Amino acid sequence: MESKVSEGGLNVTLTIRLLMHGKEVGSIIGKKGETVKKMREESGARINISEGNCPERIVTITGPTDAIFKAFAMIAYKFEEDIINSMSNSPATSKPPVTLRLVVPASQCGSLIGKGGSKIKEIRESTGAQVQVAGDMLPNSTERAVTISGTPDAIIQCVKQICVVMLESPPKGATIPYRPKPASTPVIFAGGQAYTIQGQYAIPHPDVSFHSVPPLSLSSLLCTFLHAAVNCY
């Protein structure tokens, strides 16, 4: 079974979740969505990106094992390309490794680590990739982050071995998936009204407002805030 999976020949459908920052997601999507469209077409995998104004997003890759490996290869090489491009304007001489973060049910992490860390050590040694399993679960979930760093080829081999472990050790019990929270914006109270700051304007906070209030410029909000403060004294 392991040899078949490592060669990408086992026709088993898997779902792998990745945790990415906004900049990484933008790289994967590409201009007008061209990059992710190409990845979907060439790999044959379904690639879905979570919605929302969040600092982090979940990228879900679903398909037969060979399609997943192709998708991972395209993502890893795209990230390496981004690193090379960023280095052209940087004095740094050593190229940093490509890093991907998987989101894995905590109930499968024990099998991934192995007795006394034997399995994760074996994966590191055989692939040349660095693999770290987070000790704590991601907020409000039963999943942990598994960070993989190395060359694109090392990452691809590492993902193949992780897929083998996940196939051999299915998750136990119900999994509560990690959902990134939207970026929080500061809330300011002035004149009995709550405002959130967006650019140069203060927008009435919808969860606290009880009546219709127009947006204010930051200077107007400051005046309102100072006026309220003076009246308090």
Side-chain angles (χ1 to χ4, degrees):
M1 179 179 179
E2 183 167 342
S3 62
K4 286 182 180 178
V5 173
S6 64
E7 293 162 11
L10 186 63
N11 191 25
V12 173
T13 298
L14 271 178
T15 295
I16 306 289
R17 283 154 50 83
L18 284 163
L19 187 57
M20 292 189 188
H21 294 298
K23 190 177 180 182
E24 295 170 327
V25 172
S27 174
I28 294 302
I29 294 172
K31 192 175 181 181
K32 296 182 180 178
E34 290 173 0
T35 304
V36 73
K37 182 184 177 185
K38 183 181 178 185
M39 287 181 176
R40 287 171 179 145
E41 289 173 351
E42 294 189 8
S43 69
R46 291 198 303 276
I47 304 173
N48 294 319
I49 300 166
S50 65
E51 299 290 335
N53 179 29
C54 304
E56 295 179 320
R57 306 273 282 278
I58 296 289
V59 177
T60 306
I61 304 173
T62 305
T65 49
D66 58 341
I68 284 178
F69 301 153
K70 286 176 187 174
F72 263 92
M74 295 181 79
I75 290 170
Y77 281 111
K78 181 68 177 75
F79 282 179
E80 185 181 54
E81 181 186 312
D82 294 341
I83 290 169
I84 292 168
N85 289 338
S86 66
M87 287 184 69
S88 62
N89 301 318
S90 167
T93 53
S94 59
K95 187 173 69 173
V98 173
T99 300
L100 294 177
R101 287 182 297 163
L102 307 185
V103 180
V104 177
S107 60
Q108 290 178 295
C109 288
S111 300
L112 186 57
I113 294 167
K115 191 174 181 179
S118 58
K119 188 63 185 178
I120 200 166
K121 182 183 178 186
E122 177 192 320
I123 292 173
R124 287 174 183 146
E125 290 177 350
S126 63
T127 65
Q130 286 298 313
V131 189
Q132 297 290 337
V133 178
D136 297 325
M137 286 186 273
L138 289 159
N140 304 312
S141 79
T142 57
E143 294 186 307
R144 294 192 201 178
V146 177
T147 305
I148 309 171
S149 300
T151 65
D153 288 340
I155 285 174
I156 296 158
Q157 292 305 316
C158 184
V159 169
K160 287 181 178 181
Q161 294 208 26
I162 289 173
C163 283
V164 171
V165 175
M166 293 176 76
L167 284 169
E168 292 177 342
S169 306
K172 300 176 185 69
T175 298
I176 302 170
Y178 173 60
R179 290 187 174 89
K181 285 191 173 182
S184 58
T185 54
V187 177
I188 294 176
F189 289 90
Q193 176 62 48
Y195 295 88
T196 56
I197 307 302
Q198 295 181 17
Q200 295 299 310
Y201 288 89
I203 310 298
H205 197 290
D207 296 334
V208 189
S209 304
F210 294 99
H211 53 277
S212 179
V213 181
L216 294 176
S217 67
L218 291 183
S219 58
S220 299
L221 178 66
L222 182 60
C223 290
T224 305
F225 183 77
L226 291 173
H227 180 73
V230 169
N231 287 342
C232 287
Y233 293 97

